[in-house]
């Protein structure tokens, strides 16, 4: 695996270390803005260098992470609040309506009940999901509902969830969502291009999607449950980043298998390899099946251990989730009272 960053005009290459691994509860400076990934030329040689993936080793690493890291009491509450801040609160149902989206946005603006906020002593803090994620017809509704809150609006696009419409149609959908105010676009790739190793075609499509996004950030959904092998996941991740993806995302949430920790580990190691090659930091978004507070902690630990403290910020890490917020709220109430409440006691998430 390549571990160098090429510098223009330099006669030699050097290793680019990952950002410092500060403690998970260390505040990040406000000016830590992330330089946007400009992409690079499709480098088939570099792609070949990352194609070897050891599934057994990845599974052993994941098992070690989840077993030896136990987060309890106040520390667990703090990490769960971090999970909320890194959440894309999502509704992608066939029965979505404008009113349902408004309710979702209201929950994003006030994610925790007032008694929980007061009990945790965070009434002076602003802890909200990073974004709400909706279908294109509801982008304008969501933009209006969260205006002035700092919450982003993400639109799933490009014939979600399968990505099988003509490219021109998919690009028009991106442009329409951007016009309606979406500042993040979650696109899907045609999985057949990965099966056929049509890397040039996949690269060109994502480049066109990035151009259609303009200033809106591009999250590329791989549909990892459909890709069959971790090698395909690694190669598709790298092509997406070469083409200019700001984030790579596991799943649509509609596949039979969605985000899993071994797949996530393969993708974050692709992110690390891309950073070492180019110096650009790429975000990661697991989505689909992440519905419990415990599982969210496993993903946060994975990011902290593999990529370090910067990837515990919403600029570089997001959960795609619909029911996760309800379980986190229940866990925080248990932390304060020692009792679990029923789901129906919590507002829609």
């Amino acid at each position: 695996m390549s571990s160098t960053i090429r510098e223009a005009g330099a006669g030699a290459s050097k290793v680019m270390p990952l950002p410092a691994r500060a403690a998970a509860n260390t505040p990040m400076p406000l000016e830590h803005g992330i330089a946007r990934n400009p992409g690079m030329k499709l480098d088939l040689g570099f792609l070949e260098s990352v194609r070897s993936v050891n599934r057994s080793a990845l599974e052993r690493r994941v098992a070690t992470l989840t077993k030896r890291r136990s987060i309890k009491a106040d520390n667990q509450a703090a990490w769960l609040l971090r999970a909320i801040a890194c959440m894309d609160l999502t509704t992608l149902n066939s029965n979505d309506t404008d009113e349902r989206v408004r309710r979702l946005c209201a929950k994003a603006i006030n994610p925790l009940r007032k008694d929980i906020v007061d009990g945790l002593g965070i009434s002076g803090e602003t802890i909200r999901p990073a974004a709400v994620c909706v279908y294109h017809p509801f982008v304008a509704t969501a933009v209006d509902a969260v205006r002035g809150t700092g919450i982003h609006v993400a639109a799933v696009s490009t014939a979600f969830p399968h990505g099988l419409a003509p490219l021109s149609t998919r690009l028009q959908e991106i442009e329409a969502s951007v016009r309606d105010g979406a500042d993040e676009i979650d696109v899907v790739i045609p999985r057949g291009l990965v099966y056929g190793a049509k890397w040039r075609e996949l690269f060109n499509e994502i480049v066109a999607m990035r151009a259609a996004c303009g200033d809106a950030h591009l999250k590329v959904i791989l549909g990892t449950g459909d890709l069959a092998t971790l090698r395909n996941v690694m190669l598709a991740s790298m092509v997406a980043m070469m083409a200019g993806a700001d984030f790579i995302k596991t799943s649509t949430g509609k596949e039979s298998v969605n985000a899993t920790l071994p797949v996530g580990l393969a993708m974050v190691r692709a992110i690390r390899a891309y950073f070492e090659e180019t110096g650009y930091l790429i975000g990661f978004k697991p989505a689909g099946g992440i519905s419990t507070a415990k599982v969210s902690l496993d993903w946060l630990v994975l990011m902290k251990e593999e990529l370090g403290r910067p990837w515990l910020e919403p600029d570089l890490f997001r959960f795609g989730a619909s029911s996760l917020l309800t379980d986190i709220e229940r866990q925080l109430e248990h932390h304060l009272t020692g009792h679990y409440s029923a789901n129906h006691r919590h507002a829609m998430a």
Side-chain angles (χ1 to χ4, degrees), residues 68-121:
R68 68 188 176 91
R69 295 296 184 191
S70 180
I71 306 171
K72 302 294 185 183
D74 287 348
N75 287 329
Q76 184 181 96
W79 280 69
L80 292 178
L81 293 174
R82 172 57 49 178
I84 293 174
C86 292
M87 190 180 298
D88 282 3
L89 192 59
T90 301
T91 182
L92 298 172
N93 300 308
S94 59
N95 61 349
D96 282 343
T97 63
D98 286 322
E99 186 56 34
R100 181 182 178 89
V101 169
R102 290 188 190 98
R103 289 172 60 199
L104 185 84
C105 293
K107 182 64 175 177
I109 295 169
N110 294 290
L112 299 172
R113 291 201 323 260
K114 186 176 186 305
D115 60 308
I116 296 176
V117 170
D118 292 342
L120 293 172

Side-chain angles (χ1 to χ4, degrees), residues 73-198:
D74 287 348
N75 287 329
Q76 184 181 96
W79 280 69
L80 292 178
L81 293 174
R82 172 57 49 178
I84 293 174
C86 292
M87 190 180 298
D88 282 3
L89 192 59
T90 301
T91 182
L92 298 172
N93 300 308
S94 59
N95 61 349
D96 282 343
T97 63
D98 286 322
E99 186 56 34
R100 181 182 178 89
V101 169
R102 290 188 190 98
R103 289 172 60 199
L104 185 84
C105 293
K107 182 64 175 177
I109 295 169
N110 294 290
L112 299 172
R113 291 201 323 260
K114 186 176 186 305
D115 60 308
I116 296 176
V117 170
D118 292 342
L120 293 172
I122 56 171
S123 57
E125 304 293 332
T126 301
I127 297 175
R128 293 170 173 161
V132 292
C133 184
V134 298
Y135 281 116
H136 166 71
F138 307 106
V139 168
T141 299
V143 169
D144 184 63
V146 301
R147 195 180 309 278
T149 65
I151 298 171
H152 297 282
V153 174
V156 294
S157 194
T158 59
F160 180 93
H162 303 299
L164 295 178
L167 179 60
S168 59
T169 300
R170 287 179 276 149
L171 296 179
Q172 288 169 8
E173 186 179 6
I174 293 173
E175 292 165 353
S177 292
V178 173
R179 282 196 303 271
D180 281 357
D183 55 0
E184 299 180 357
I185 305 292
D186 291 28
V187 305
V188 289
I189 64 169
R191 283 62 134 186
L193 297 182
V194 178
Y195 279 120
K198 297 178 180 179

Side-chain angles (χ1 to χ4, degrees), residues 19 225 348:
M348 168 193 170

